[in-house]
Amino acid sequence: MNDQILMDNYLMILKSTIEVYVHGTLESSNEDIRKLLKNGLDETLKHQARTYDEMTNYGWYKISNVSTQEINKAYKKLSSN
């Protein structure tokens, strides 16, 4: 297994963990638990941002620009539903 695959897997784990923290934070009825989950969410978001930045620096996470025409097409499709 190479570094790119490891980083990609780690990024996917972080994204999944963020989803769990978000739902837990939203659904918690106990303020202390909510604060604990929010802290975990904040820390995991920091890890995700650093991992994403490293992956883009190595060219392992490709970013592509979307044309205005594609954005308008998607907007029209969504607004017609």
Side-chain angles (χ1 to χ4, degrees):
M1 197 177 282
N2 65 31
D3 290 344
Q4 181 178 358
I5 292 170
L6 289 171
M7 293 288 280
D8 189 50
N9 287 338
Y10 183 58
L11 185 61
M12 289 178 42
I13 289 167
L14 288 169
K15 289 178 180 182
S16 296
T17 303
I18 288 168
E19 287 183 44
V20 172
Y21 275 127
V22 166
H23 292 289
T25 303
L26 290 172
E27 298 297 328
S28 177
S29 60
N30 180 293
E31 188 62 31
D32 291 334
I33 299 296
R34 186 179 303 113
K35 287 178 184 177
L36 181 70
L37 292 168
K38 173 75 168 59
N39 183 54
L41 174 61
D42 291 341
E43 290 301 312
T44 307
L45 284 167
K46 290 176 191 175
H47 285 283
Q48 185 276 333
R50 285 195 300 265
T51 303
Y52 168 81
D53 289 343
E54 281 299 311
M55 290 183 74
T56 55
N57 288 339
Y58 281 105
W60 296 341
Y61 200 101
K62 303 291 184 201
I63 302 170
S64 59
N65 291 325
V66 178
S67 71
T68 304
Q69 182 180 10
E70 290 177 82
I71 293 170
N72 289 335
K73 183 179 175 181
Y75 177 76
K76 285 179 185 178
K77 183 178 178 180
L78 290 171
S79 62
S80 69
N81 292 332

